[in-house]
Amino acid sequence: MRIAVYGVGGVGGYFGARLVQAGQDVAFIARGDHLAAIRSMGLSVTTPSGETLVQPSIATDDPADIGPVDVVILGVKAEQVGEVAASVEPMLGEESFVVPLQNGVEAATRLCTILGREHVVAGLCGIMSWISAPGHVRTLGDVHFIRFGELDNRPSERTSALRRVFEAAGVKAEIPADIHKALWEKFLFVASLGGMGAALGKPFGAIRDDAGSRRMLELAMREVFALGRARGAALDDDLVERTMKFVNSLPDEGTASLQRDIAEGKPSELEAWSGAVVRLGRESGVEVPVHTFIYETLLPAEEKARAARMK
């Protein structure tokens, strides 16, 4: 299978490296110093179990250099999906498809409007990872999974084939019975915990171990739960309780990408996380006061980071 990984950050870099290790023909699309380092030395990935170095079949900043592929793994930030979608087209043949791995619940819909529904499946992943230096991705903890499925939840040979490829690479890959339910389940977790961590400036352990912040975290999750139900997601009654139990298992020092980006003065996925909760809540008539607090608390830093990037 010929695969392109568009966006070789913490997510794309980790999963792309596993695919290269398994002998797949993988092209990397990156930029700047990170791309230069990959071209000259390869991509290094450090996990709790050790370090690996991989060389993709091609590393470029121009998708047109790659040509048609079977699958595009889209690992860019959520706010970049719209701007990069059109540049994916040179890599799409008649049977090609794109798997977006952005946090949030809207990436696949955005891609459909530009690339056509036939070229898009929905996807998500679970991993704590980041670029620690040009050409180097680091992961924390032992949660590494990927899930994807057709937008109408029908079984398909193309998703089954991709699952087999990931499984052969040692990645836990699943095709949920309801991919939209799976997207909302992750959204409830990451938007709430990531937003809380960014707003409070605390890692996972400090949030869950403090009675007040833990109560606020649960309230944030219940807001997303109510919103997901209002928008048609078939969320289980005990989802919040199960998610809080999962939070208990996370590394004390863990942080979400939103928190790391805001702390470093970088543009973040705020609009796709709590910003989306606020916007969709308004559209659906669902009150989301905790996420409104998170969003309005973080928005000045987000606007400052975006203004700085425009200079």
Side-chain angles (χ1 to χ4, degrees), residues 66-111:
I66 296 172
V69 298
D70 297 302
V71 183
V72 178
I73 306 297
L74 195 62
V76 300
K77 294 287 189 180
E79 74 274 7
Q80 297 173 303
V81 169
E83 67 185 73
V84 307
S87 64
V88 170
E89 290 186 294
M91 297 186 290
L92 298 183
E94 186 175 339
E95 302 297 326
S96 306
F97 63 102
V98 182
V99 183
L101 297 181
Q102 289 67 36
N103 289 304
V105 292
E106 300 172 297
T109 300
R110 290 174 181 167
L111 290 171

Side-chain angles (χ1 to χ4, degrees), residues 77-79 102-106 110 187 190-191 258 268-277 279-280 295 306:
K77 294 287 189 180
E79 74 274 7
Q102 289 67 36
N103 289 304
V105 292
E106 300 172 297
R110 290 174 181 167
F187 188 44
V190 73
L258 177 76
S268 73
E269 293 184 321
L270 178 63
E271 293 295 339
W273 294 27
S274 284
V277 176
R279 174 171 43 81
L280 296 175
Y295 178 65
R306 293 191 179 280

Side-chain angles (χ1 to χ4, degrees), residues 185-245:
E185 287 174 343
K186 187 191 178 185
F187 188 44
L188 178 145
F189 162 71
V190 73
S192 302
L193 183 57
M196 284 283 297
L200 299 178
K202 295 180 178 181
F204 298 157
I207 293 171
R208 69 169 177 241
D209 294 341
D210 176 80
S213 59
R214 187 180 181 89
R215 283 195 298 271
M216 184 175 283
L217 174 60
E218 183 173 344
L219 288 172
M221 290 183 182
R222 293 197 181 282
E223 289 178 2
V224 182
F225 179 86
L227 178 59
R229 281 274 185 92
R231 297 187 72 85
L235 302 178
D236 295 335
D237 292 340
D238 65 344
L239 175 60
V240 172
E241 288 76 16
R242 287 191 286 111
T243 306
M244 290 298 293
K245 287 182 180 178

Side-chain angles (χ1 to χ4, degrees), residues 92-175:
L92 298 183
E94 186 175 339
E95 302 297 326
S96 306
F97 63 102
V98 182
V99 183
L101 297 181
Q102 289 67 36
N103 289 304
V105 292
E106 300 172 297
T109 300
R110 290 174 181 167
L111 290 171
C112 287
T113 62
I114 299 170
L115 302 176
R117 188 179 177 89
E118 70 277 11
H119 289 300
V120 180
V121 305
L124 63 121
C125 66
I127 186 171
M128 281 185 281
S129 57
W130 62 95
I131 297 174
S132 58
H136 192 177
V137 167
R138 182 176 294 274
T139 74
L140 177 68
D142 57 2
V143 176
H144 311 102
F145 67 81
I146 188 167
R147 296 172 184 150
F148 46 84
E150 299 288 353
L151 295 172
D152 60 1
N153 289 319
R154 64 180 172 83
S156 72
E157 176 53 34
R158 65 182 185 177
T159 54
S160 295
L162 183 59
R163 180 182 59 190
R164 292 192 293 269
V165 166
F166 273 113
E167 289 175 341
V171 174
K172 183 179 179 181
E174 301 174 9
I175 302 175

